[in-house]
Amino acid sequence: MIALGTPLKTANPKRLLFCSDALLVDGVTSYILHVGTALARAGHDVAVLGRWAGRGFQKRYREEGMTVISCPSPTVGNVWFDAKARAFNPDCILTDSRRSFPLATRLKKLTGKPVVTYFLDHLEKTDRPGRDVPSLIGWSDAWAVAEEPIRRSLVDVAPDFPVFRLPRPLDVAVRPGPLTPRAPFRIVFFGRLSGYKTPGMFHLLDHIEDLDRAIPGVEIVIVGGGGWRLVRFKALAGQINRRLGRRCVRVVGTRIDPRPWLEGACVVCGGSTSAIEAALSKRPVVCFTGYWFGQVRPDNVDEALACYFGERGGKGHFRDPGVLDRIIPELADVYENYGHLPDDLEAVAAALKPHFDSADTVRCFDRLVESIL
């Protein structure tokens, strides 16, 4: 039996080409980072090809031993990408089911290599040309999913098409460690500043004096990008810091390596993958999404996992009466019980580890590749 988190070496290394069409740090690019890291450490030759405009995970990809093939481009594909893909000569092409899929179909025509299409959400936005269900089936050699509920829904859509599990290996992305000292009590908002993840954050900043009374000297750090919301948070931070006469709120924007920020957190507020990374880092987590508000504990971690930590529903909604009013009491509870949390944090991390283990990802991928090559 291989211990969780132990790198697994593949018996049959392949050349793997991930297609990417991301303009920012998002769920697709982070999935490539996590899966690509696990596969590269297992011995596969991994490359990521696509256009970027702005700051992304390129540096992290290179640090993990992946080849990055990128250039600015007005179109998802171009002749330079074609030449680079031929030169890399992949055994397999991997793509998400949305923006990058047209690039993968183009490269499949050029190279004749099989395409694995992975889904991070339930089937949606298939009305775009070239991304409809017949195209996703016709140009793919297999589908892969990170979560079992999504896999089951895809089997219902395409019952005769191969659909594999390819879990997200988050153990490659975290550095578990002991809790930081309680003072100053630092709350880290962690994740993209999307519409459904920020109502609780705005509510908390609107009631910052109440929070400061419940947790004297509290500090808030907002880590993540998100267009106009980032600008709004920076403006609010300036107003709050002037009003309180100290640097209470700090907005740092997008960070490609969240680990230093998680290590310095007393509690992390977020949802979906961000919340899971924090929990695996053995930090207290208070879910902050449009669908889940509350502290993750050993007695509700399975419930949180079932809705992917608020990504796909959960208990409560920010429009429900009284839901937002629970935020400050939840954070105050973490503050009051801080010294008694380590055992609970160990239990939560232990419950999550089997679902996000890199050795499991490598085994699943090797079975997938064996079936299509």
Side-chain angles (χ1 to χ4, degrees), residues 55-358:
R55 189 177 186 182
F57 280 124
Q58 299 95 314
K59 182 174 182 287
R60 291 282 304 279
Y61 293 152
R62 293 188 182 99
E63 288 174 347
E64 293 297 345
M66 293 179 254
T67 301
V68 176
I69 304 168
S70 175
C71 72
S73 176
T75 56
V76 65
N78 58 47
V79 294
W80 188 78
F81 286 156
D82 298 345
K84 291 295 183 179
R86 284 197 190 96
F88 183 71
N89 190 27
D91 295 300
C92 180
I93 299 168
L94 297 96
T95 176
D96 66 274
S97 61
R98 295 197 204 161
R99 290 197 309 249
S100 302
F101 190 74
L103 175 59
T105 60
R106 174 184 178 121
L107 297 183
K108 181 174 183 175
K109 295 174 189 176
L110 289 169
T111 65
K113 299 304 172 67
V115 168
V116 174
T117 303
Y118 53 86
F119 294 75
L120 304 184
D121 296 291
H122 290 284
L123 198 62
E124 58 184 9
K125 298 185 179 179
T126 56
D127 56 333
R128 306 289 179 86
R131 302 190 212 168
D132 55 284
V133 174
S135 295
L136 290 170
I137 295 174
W139 287 104
S140 303
D141 294 271
W143 288 351
V145 294
E147 300 165 57
E148 181 59 22
I150 298 176
R151 193 194 69 80
R152 289 195 299 267
S153 70
L154 293 178
V155 169
D156 292 338
V157 171
D160 298 324
F161 194 78
V163 183
F164 292 84
R165 191 172 66 93
L166 190 60
R168 187 188 286 264
L170 290 178
D171 61 353
V172 303
V174 299
R175 287 195 300 245
L179 281 175
T180 188
R182 191 175 78 154
F185 193 81
R186 186 173 297 110
I187 300 171
V188 174
F189 292 137
F190 175 37
R192 281 193 66 202
L193 304 178
S194 61
Y196 84 96
K197 292 181 180 178
T198 50
M201 298 165 64
F202 282 121
H203 175 87
L204 198 61
L205 296 186
D206 288 342
H207 296 81
I208 193 66
E209 285 84 359
D210 295 334
L211 178 67
D212 197 38
R213 281 190 289 271
I215 306 176
V218 67
E219 295 182 357
I220 293 175
V221 181
I222 300 175
V223 182
W228 68 267
R229 293 183 185 87
L230 181 63
V231 177
R232 173 86 184 279
F233 278 121
K234 287 183 177 180
L236 285 173
Q239 296 168 14
I240 290 169
N241 293 340
R242 287 191 294 272
R243 196 162 71 239
L244 296 183
R246 62 184 176 86
R247 194 181 191 187
C248 174
V249 182
R250 182 182 178 193
V251 182
V252 301
T254 299
R255 290 293 183 269
I256 63 171
D257 187 353
R259 289 171 292 191
W261 305 94
L262 294 178
E263 289 168 1
C266 295
V267 60
V268 176
C269 297
S272 62
T273 302
S274 300
I276 298 168
E277 286 182 80
L280 288 171
S281 300
K282 300 182 182 177
R283 291 296 179 266
V285 173
V286 176
C287 269
F288 256 43
T289 74
Y291 312 110
W292 179 295
F293 288 90
Q295 189 176 348
V296 178
R297 309 173 189 270
D299 61 357
N300 67 11
V301 64
D302 290 338
E303 183 182 356
L305 186 60
C307 66
Y308 205 71
F309 285 65
E311 176 81 7
R312 313 189 204 290
K315 56 180 182 180
H317 189 278
F318 72 91
R319 293 193 180 93
D320 295 343
V323 168
L324 293 178
D325 293 334
R326 298 204 316 260
I327 294 174
I328 292 179
E330 290 278 9
L331 292 170
D333 181 74
V334 176
Y335 175 74
E336 295 294 339
N337 296 288
Y338 197 65
H340 304 288
L341 292 178
D343 288 346
D344 282 354
L345 301 179
E346 288 282 351
V348 169
L352 293 175
K353 280 181 180 179
H355 301 278
F356 303 99
D357 178 42
S358 56

